[in-house]
Amino acid sequence: MIAMSRRRVLAGAGAVMLAPVASLPAAAAEAVRSDVKDVTRTFARYLVNARYEDLPDNVRREGVRTLLNYVGVAIGGSQHETVDVAVAALTPFSGPAQARLFGRTERFDIMNAAFVNGISSHIFDYDDTHLKTIIHPGGPVISAILALAEMTPVNGRDFLNALILGIETECRIGNAVYPNHYYVGWHITGTAGVFGAAAAAGRLMHLTEQQMVWALGLAASQPVGLRESFGSMNKSFNPGRAAADGLFAAILASKNYTSSDGMIEAKRGWANTISTKQDYREITGELGERYEAALNTYKPFACGIVLHPAIDAAIQLRNEYKVSAAQVTSIEMRVNPLVLELTGKKTPKEGLEGKFSVYHSVAVALIEGAAGEKQFSDRAVKDPAVVALRGKVSPATDPTMKPEQVEMSITLNDGRVLTKRIEHAIGSLERPMSNADLERKFRDLADGILPPQQIATVMERCWKVETLANAGDIVAAGCRTA
């Protein structure tokens, strides 16, 4: 089932331009738009009634792994210039010191804390990925509910249940409109993430069914994020804003601030307004049986997911044949068209742009044998050796290649041609990161920000979240005191 889900992923991503539903035969269009009655209410009812005890073990396990990965990337991103700018801009306007910021000493009100932690978790593009939709689920959801847990203590079991329900919400709603919604230009982590944050926060606030309907409706009124922002600070704004907006929606709904009861599915509601595809069965089908949260994956490389196969191929060839940049005459690749659409920047000027450059990614991976946050720094994109090698990188699009595939050929000065085909990159569902991999990633990200013993403590609290009396203790362990 997992392999089938992954094939579905990125199966539609092969075509850059997609026909709108309106152009489909009438019967097919009707099937895609089927089951439109009471979608928002049906899902809200599920959210307020779903129990922690009913979660399958594998779903709980993936929820814990998602939490660990989120905290690691949030701590790691906390010192980035983008976070510094946001903190400086918001400090004069932040309200009571209700919640902490990962990796920092400042405290903000819960709305601004959720926003800043959401930025921090996404700035490296190193966060979790639901491959069927390319949503990064952790940032919007966990940023919102950890801030809430600091203000109103919540036990770890309830916290994990809310976390999983939030991820389920954003990914199911994302499934309903992907890929059409994404290809027209929306950043789906923001536009769907706001629903996940609202659902998770609403669950912790014990909203009634009607209040949850309103929370989802208020979330629907706040879609955030455009793909034009990719490569700038604005990209990480999107999950941060989704976290704060979802929390905002749940708080308003808890005081009976009303909305339409059909804000997701109505003719002029969210799905019909922002997408030409609406498959509501993805939202309400198999509730409590099919878990999108079980399909979450974690990045070994700090950049857009479509770059991972090429990076994996470059690192494997480098390690297998001891290749150096001086030996390389050319690097040719066959890639899915989505790779160049999303990551076609030939001459990135700063680290954030490098995350959307297949040329930089392959060059730096071949030279440094890695593609972590250090390889997507301003230093890395300006490195003369990297700049020279990226001029030898030649990707060619091939619609028969799936987004998770790549074929790479490196021609050396001595005439040898080294080849590698990747079917599924490391970090995919087929080649998942282990718990040990996630811990190494966490330590590497937190190193220099927190002392080793504190890193060990916050990781332990993540792994043992279900036993915590207050999930907010995770943030307490992951912030700086001085």
Side-chain angles (χ1 to χ4, degrees), residues 82 118-119 122-127 134 136 182 187 189-190 224-241 299 303-305 352 355-356:
T82 303
I119 289 175
H122 190 62
I123 191 61
F124 284 152
D125 242 304
Y126 214 0
D127 40 357
I134 323 182
H136 305 294
Y182 186 77
H187 184 193
T189 295
V224 59
L226 301 173
R227 282 171 51 201
E228 177 61 24
S229 67
F230 289 11
S232 72
M233 291 181 181
N234 192 169
K235 184 174 190 282
S236 60
F237 172 95
N238 302 334
R241 194 71 248 159
K299 292 183 178 182
C303 58
I305 197 75
L352 291 179
K355 295 175 182 292
F356 296 91

Side-chain angles (χ1 to χ4, degrees), residues 123-145:
I123 191 61
F124 284 152
D125 242 304
Y126 214 0
D127 40 357
D128 54 334
T129 307
H130 176 255
L131 291 168
K132 289 166 66 176
T133 56
I134 323 182
I135 290 171
H136 305 294
V141 170
I142 305 175
S143 300
I145 59 176

Side-chain angles (χ1 to χ4, degrees), residues 83-105:
V83 180
D84 291 339
V85 170
V87 169
L90 295 174
T91 294
F93 309 102
S94 184
Q98 298 165 325
R100 299 169 176 87
L101 304 181
F102 278 110
R104 303 183 69 97
T105 59

